[in-house]
Amino acid sequence: MKYKPLGRSGIMVSELCFGTMGFVSRTDRSSSERLYRKAREAGITFFDTANIYSDGEVEEYLGSFIRDERSEVVIATKGFGAMGSGPNDKGSNAKSLRLALEGSLKRLKTDYVDIYFLHQYDPLVAEEELLRTLERFVTSGKVLSLGVSNYSAYQTMKLNAAAARLGLPRIDVLQPMYSLAKRICEIEILPMAKGEGLGVISYSPLGAGLLTGRYSHEDKPATGRLVENPMYTKRYRKERYFTLAKEFSAFAESLGVEEATLATAWVLANEAITAPIIGPTNEDQLRLSLKALDFEITKEIATRLDEIAPPPPPAHDRSEVDR
Ligand SMILES: NC(=O)c1ccc[n+]([C@@H]2O[C@H](COP(=O)([O-])OP(=O)(O)OC[C@H]3O[C@@H](n4cnc5c(N)ncnc54)[C@H](OP(=O)(O)O)[C@@H]3O)[C@@H](O)[C@H]2O)c1
């Protein structure tokens, strides 16, 4: 396992981040703890969670797992999502975020989080207001570094421009979706990250299970996030995703590598990515993700994968300007 600086924050993190979204919903406490320990044994020091995962219960699990080794791990959590039905139980306004952070710290049984992410853009909150809230988090020592997830490049740059203008703490880390099936962040987000020195921890490297072989058959399986969870069914509803999955599986088979390993290795090979966030729900899945660390994406493999899952168009139409 290699350790890399997380953008300009300089916080050192393992090159794989372990996503905990499946704790509680997919794995009970003891199997979640076993997965956590296995990840630690493999050298993973970086864990991603969110207040909304299983209504806070995931943070409670994670908090008890890290209790005796808080200084050895880097914890990212998120605020914005609804934690209740009240009007200020969600959002990025000063009140909602304060309640969100306090709740996360309590459940994680820690007095600080290493990275605090805004889970989504909130159009209701003015930039200066948002930055002043985040400044309080940082100056109180409750948050070390700030991140945004599911923000566009424009929203991120606008926030950081305001931070520079006002002399307030800036965003250092991004958390976009990124896999062979979802390459939109290649257009603006990853170039911005490279140019601005931002850390990137990307989520859903397996397309939430699409790129695991499970969806490569003519008939979709009866179980799995893409057929059971309405948000994911909608996200991957287009037939082309299943065609892609089928071709991807055939290619992985021809290389003699498991799909989950190939898909994770492809994300890892992108130099703009600091760490993909993996989401294994059992030890065998974890093993396949870890194998990606030793699998090289050669030029030939990358070219074939570009044919199976073509890169998105450039950010503007003057694409013949190729320097
Ligand atoms: N910021 C955000 O908005 C956001 C959104 C989503 C996720 N995340 C973060 O990113 C992490 C990873 O996201 P993700 O769960 O979508 O990642 P993913 O790796 O794309 O999908 C993981 C799913 O794929 C299946 N899987 C994993 N390894 C497999 C294998 N070897 N063979 C077959 N199936 C396999 C599992 O499904 P089964 O459980 O059905 O076995 C697992 O739930 C989350 O835990 C969370 O921390 C963040």
Side-chain angles (χ1 to χ4, degrees):
M1 187 73 60
K2 290 196 195 86
Y3 300 90
K4 297 157 99 179
L6 186 56
R8 287 199 275 186
S9 81
I11 296 174
M12 298 301 287
V13 294
S14 51
E15 60 185 322
L16 285 177
C17 177
F18 188 103
T20 60
M21 193 172 72
F23 286 176
V24 182
S25 58
R26 305 286 294 132
T27 52
D28 63 16
R29 183 180 282 271
S30 65
S31 31
S32 300
E33 178 154 19
R34 240 188 342 267
L35 269 177
Y36 172 86
R37 302 279 165 223
K38 285 278 169 198
R40 293 284 295 119
E41 277 167 29
I44 293 180
T45 54
F46 192 13
F47 294 85
D48 177 72
T49 190
N51 60 341
I52 54 168
Y53 294 165
S54 294
D55 295 324
E57 216 180 329
V58 170
E59 285 185 327
E60 291 211 18
Y61 276 25
L62 186 61
S64 53
F65 305 157
I66 64 173
R67 199 197 288 257
D68 295 332
E69 52 180 29
R70 177 66 188 94
S71 60
E72 290 160 44
V73 291
V74 174
I75 301 297
T77 192
K78 315 181 191 83
F80 169 84
M83 291 300 283
S85 55
N88 283 313
D89 287 336
K90 71 167 183 188
S92 300
N93 64 68
K95 183 172 176 66
S96 307
L97 275 190
R98 181 191 157 123
L99 292 170
L101 177 63
E102 292 303 332
S104 288
L105 292 174
K106 201 165 161 203
R107 289 186 294 271
L108 287 164
K109 299 170 252 306
T110 181
D111 54 2
Y112 76 101
V113 289
D114 300 85
I115 302 124
Y116 197 66
F117 278 101
L118 301 169
H119 210 150
Q120 274 182 51
Y121 179 71
D122 186 342
L124 303 180
V125 184
E127 274 141 17
E128 181 169 349
E129 175 73 10
L130 177 57
L131 289 165
R132 293 210 181 275
T133 302
L134 297 176
E135 182 196 28
R136 286 192 287 278
F137 290 180
V138 173
T139 52
S140 63
K142 292 176 181 172
V143 168
L144 303 186
S145 186
L146 299 168
V148 292
S149 182
N150 305 307
Y151 267 50
S152 70
Y154 168 68
Q155 289 161 345
T156 308
M157 288 303 288
K158 209 155 167 266
L159 197 57
N160 271 351
R165 196 172 60 242
L166 298 161
L168 295 171
R170 36 169 259 133
I171 301 301
D172 274 320
V173 194
L174 310 176
Q175 188 173 145
M177 185 190 302
Y178 188 48
S179 71
L180 267 164
K182 294 283 188 186
R183 300 183 62 168
I184 295 286
C185 74
E186 286 177 31
I187 304 175
E188 303 238 58
I189 291 183
L190 299 186
M192 169 185 72
K194 275 171 84 174
E196 298 292 312
L198 304 174
V200 184
I201 61 170
S202 54
Y203 68 85
S204 292
L206 308 182
L210 178 78
L211 305 172
T212 60
R214 202 188 299 170
Y215 295 92
S216 62
H217 314 291
E218 301 304 344
D219 296 321
K220 294 184 187 115
T223 58
R225 222 191 292 170
L226 303 193
V227 289
E228 285 174 303
N229 181 319
M231 184 169 78
Y232 285 87
T233 305
K234 191 168 169 217
R235 188 176 297 166
Y236 294 95
R237 68 189 177 282
K238 298 204 171 115
E239 209 42 49
R240 68 181 161 86
Y241 288 118
F242 297 91
T243 309
L244 185 161
K246 190 175 168 183
E247 283 183 35
F248 175 75
S249 275
F251 182 52
E253 198 175 324
S254 75
L255 294 173
V257 63
E258 288 88 350
E259 288 91 338
T261 301
L262 181 60
T264 307
W266 181 82
V267 178
L268 266 166
N270 189 316
E271 58 177 23
I273 304 288
T274 314
I277 314 176
I278 57 169
T281 54
N282 60 48
E283 288 176 38
D284 202 41
Q285 291 182 357
L286 174 61
R287 184 181 58 78
L288 295 182
S289 299
L290 291 168
K291 265 177 76 181
L293 297 171
D294 299 316
F295 186 86
E296 188 194 353
I297 301 290
T298 62
K299 231 175 167 170
E300 292 72 32
I301 293 176
T303 303
R304 177 66 191 125
L305 288 174
D306 277 348
E307 288 165 5
I308 294 169
H316 56 80
D317 282 326
R318 201 64 189 263
S319 53
E320 71 275 24
V321 180
D322 188 14
R323 277 182 280 170

